[in-house]
Amino acid sequence: MSSRRRRITGLVAAGILLAGLGPCRQVQAAQKEPVILIHGWNGSPTEFAQMEAALEQAGHPAYTIDLPGEENVANAGAIRDLVAQVRQENGGGKVSLVGHSMGGLSARYYLKFLGGTDATLSYVSMGTGQRGYWPACLLPANQGGQMCPSGTFISRLNSGDPTPGTVRYTLLMSSLDETRNDVIDGVWCRAEFPGVAHADEPKSQVFIDGVISALDGTCPS
């Protein structure tokens, strides 16, 4: 698996002794579900440095994945493997997935075809062309060409139920995204933010705030 965990934050504080409260008393800091951050085409885990720190501050153990390449099926397999690792390290509960651009498609493939719905609480995409991206038709299939709207990958991903399971699906877009009007059935929340360049979305404060809001169950506005 070509993935790495950048940092684990322990907001788990078991066995804290509170002075002045009589006999030993234990409390545990609230910890939310782990979040896996998934970069897009030709992207890098380093793009998520600010978002990772903000998620951890908000109580989410945050992980980034270094995808093995530009082919979504292989990337989905790497996501599956990291999800298994993260769940094992965090008590076996569900995780949430945040994908930028093509990373959102790899994450959806994992959810739909690799059994990911049973392990996932929320899915949040940023700037993902959920129905594909026409310029990608010029690329080889294993170098991003699977994003071609007329290709078999996008057709299969959007056939039947595009948002399976009980996962809460959120689509975040910038007004500058060419695919900002893409819609798929079963989405819980869709929000658009003005003026953020596509490449800047993972480090944009408005997107970071939007992701945290969506993970907490509030559709950002």
Side-chain angles (χ1 to χ4, degrees), residues 18-118:
L18 298 181
L21 293 181
C24 290
R25 198 171 153 190
Q26 292 185 336
V27 298
Q28 184 167 332
Q31 178 174 302
K32 301 174 184 178
E33 83 277 7
V35 177
I36 294 175
L37 303 170
I38 305 160
H39 66 78
W41 183 74
N42 278 343
S44 165
T46 59
E47 300 167 3
F48 287 104
Q50 295 97 317
M51 185 175 293
E52 182 186 17
L55 285 167
E56 292 173 341
Q57 183 67 31
H60 293 277
Y63 297 73
T64 58
I65 183 168
D66 193 357
L67 295 171
E70 312 306 329
E71 201 277 328
N72 283 290
V73 178
N75 289 349
I79 294 169
R80 174 196 58 204
D81 294 343
L82 182 56
V83 168
Q85 174 191 328
V86 169
R87 294 183 74 198
Q88 184 177 32
E89 293 176 355
N90 290 273
K94 292 186 177 184
V95 305
S96 286
L97 306 175
V98 176
H100 179 235
S101 197
M102 194 178 85
L105 298 178
S106 299
R108 276 186 59 209
Y109 190 94
Y110 159 69
L111 292 172
K112 185 166 183 174
F113 297 112
L114 300 184
T117 57
D118 291 339

Side-chain angles (χ1 to χ4, degrees), residues 14-208:
I16 299 176
L17 297 180
L18 298 181
L21 293 181
C24 290
R25 198 171 153 190
Q26 292 185 336
V27 298
Q28 184 167 332
Q31 178 174 302
K32 301 174 184 178
E33 83 277 7
V35 177
I36 294 175
L37 303 170
I38 305 160
H39 66 78
W41 183 74
N42 278 343
S44 165
T46 59
E47 300 167 3
F48 287 104
Q50 295 97 317
M51 185 175 293
E52 182 186 17
L55 285 167
E56 292 173 341
Q57 183 67 31
H60 293 277
Y63 297 73
T64 58
I65 183 168
D66 193 357
L67 295 171
E70 312 306 329
E71 201 277 328
N72 283 290
V73 178
N75 289 349
I79 294 169
R80 174 196 58 204
D81 294 343
L82 182 56
V83 168
Q85 174 191 328
V86 169
R87 294 183 74 198
Q88 184 177 32
E89 293 176 355
N90 290 273
K94 292 186 177 184
V95 305
S96 286
L97 306 175
V98 176
H100 179 235
S101 197
M102 194 178 85
L105 298 178
S106 299
R108 276 186 59 209
Y109 190 94
Y110 159 69
L111 292 172
K112 185 166 183 174
F113 297 112
L114 300 184
T117 57
D118 291 339
T120 305
L121 181 64
S122 295
Y123 162 96
V124 182
S125 69
M126 301 182 296
T128 297
Q130 299 290 353
R131 294 192 173 276
Y133 181 56
W134 285 110
C137 299
L138 301 175
L139 299 171
N142 64 351
Q143 293 297 320
Q146 289 171 329
M147 290 186 288
C148 180
S150 61
T152 56
F153 177 83
I154 291 294
S155 296
R156 187 166 180 240
L157 191 63
N158 288 322
S159 64
D161 184 0
T163 52
T166 59
V167 179
R168 189 167 57 206
Y169 291 85
T170 298
L171 311 184
L172 304 181
M173 309 296 292
S174 167
S175 63
L176 302 182
D177 282 319
E178 295 178 45
T179 59
R180 64 188 179 278
N181 294 320
D182 277 10
V183 177
I184 52 176
D185 292 336
V187 170
W188 168 72
C189 168
R190 181 191 176 281
E192 182 176 310
F193 306 121
V196 180
H198 183 75
D200 291 340
E201 289 167 358
K203 60 187 178 183
S204 163
Q205 190 61 51
V206 69
F207 272 85
I208 291 171

